[in-house]
Amino acid sequence: MSRNDDAGYHFASDNNAGICPEALAAMLEANASGHVPSYGDDEWTKRACDRIRELFQTDCDVFFVFNGTAANSLALAALCQSYHSVICHEISHVETDECGAPEFFSNGSKLLTVKGDNGKITPDGLERMATKRNDLHFPKPKAVTLTQSTEVGTVYTVEELRALAAIAKRHRLNVHMDGARFANAVAALDVHPSEITWRAGVDVLSLGGTKNGIPVGEAVVFFNKDLAEDFAWRTKQAGQLASKMRFITAPWLGLLDNDVWLKNARHANAMAKHLAARISNVRGVKLMFEPQVNAVFAELAPHLQKGLRERGWRFYTFIGEGGCRLMCAWDTPQETVDRFADDLTALASKRPK
Ligand SMILES: *Cc1c(COP(=O)(O)O)cnc(C)c1O
């Protein structure tokens, strides 16, 4: 059986991966230009904004912040007053992994959680929460946030998004999308990016790049430009305006040119599919969700988990609905997937001690 200590690849998270070559090349190229205006007043940032507008085929407003927590919480803060609330899934990143940042940056907008299978908000759940109370003792629902792809590696279909957005519009809720893994969703659904955003009724998107191959920085994309009013000031006040902005936006260009973002996402998704196929029939392994993007969630018998960890494999057990999360990235080699599956298969064929 192998030991994975020195192999350099494992399944802890797609943000454990490095920078993809195209993003790194773009960053180095930006560094070769001597002195350049700061705070986003540069060529790379202008081009990155234009490329995102082209990508979505619409005249959206684009901002860049350092990470996904800032993108989500500042976007939601732009949609809400302090006395408002945001409807989200109970296992959403905004609820479980942002240390109260959405509430903090909105000065107190409350998150209202709803349940739903496969990490997804249902039309019923949204309708019920949106209409639960309308008295002034309860924080008024003003936004809904949908994670695409979800925290458990599933995706909302175009029809599901349209149905949810229609309910949101009926109740005057703004629609935010947490797209930390948006690229993986586009790759999985094989749709145009506009189809699962503004054409479906999404007002604001947190567009992730970090997990897709850039070093740092996420985009906040306002399809509803009225909601972007003063957002630049919001990012500055929150400490999220990079002075050397070109080193965030040049890597973005590296991702966007020649559809590298899609190539990276397709690879990560394919590796997860391969991993799922290799381990789903192993004794002591039970897949928890159909892996639609780059994550495999599985219940692994304790002796299997222990054996894998002893062999140097890393993965989390507390994310989403629990179980083991095996995350593939833009750079996950198929041989690593195979070695992991071989180890798991070998462990399962031994008698548990
Ligand atoms: C990774 C992730 C984010 C962003 O997290 P940061 O660590 O703040 O960059 C946001 N939403 C989801 C669903 C994520 O998986």
Side-chain angles (χ1 to χ4, degrees), residues 15 67-70 72 93 98 147 149 151 178 180-181 211 218:
N15 67 13
N67 61 26
T69 298
N72 286 340
H93 198 272
E98 300 192 354
T147 310
S149 51
E151 287 78 0
D178 176 352
R181 297 191 182 91
K211 288 167 178 157
E218 313 280 271

Side-chain angles (χ1 to χ4, degrees), residues 110-175:
K110 188 179 169 74
L111 297 182
L112 304 177
T113 63
V114 298
K115 293 181 193 305
D117 292 344
N118 300 310
K120 297 195 269 184
I121 295 177
T122 62
D124 236 32
L126 178 58
E127 180 81 40
R128 240 179 299 127
M129 190 53 92
T131 55
K132 186 174 162 188
R133 296 265 298 267
N134 61 9
D135 60 275
L136 56 78
H137 303 279
F138 193 71
K140 186 181 178 183
K142 190 65 179 178
V144 57
T145 176
L146 307 168
T147 310
Q148 177 79 318
S149 51
T150 72
E151 287 78 0
V152 292
T154 58
V155 290
Y156 289 96
T157 64
V158 174
E159 295 71 32
E160 286 171 334
L161 290 171
R162 284 179 177 273
L164 289 166
I167 294 168
K169 299 294 154 182
R170 194 145 35 76
H171 297 294
R172 299 181 188 285
L173 304 176
N174 295 309
V175 180

Side-chain angles (χ1 to χ4, degrees), residues 16-37:
N16 279 210
I19 308 169
C20 73
E22 297 88 347
L24 187 58
M27 193 167 179
L28 292 174
E29 194 192 303
N31 195 44
S33 296
H35 287 207
V36 163

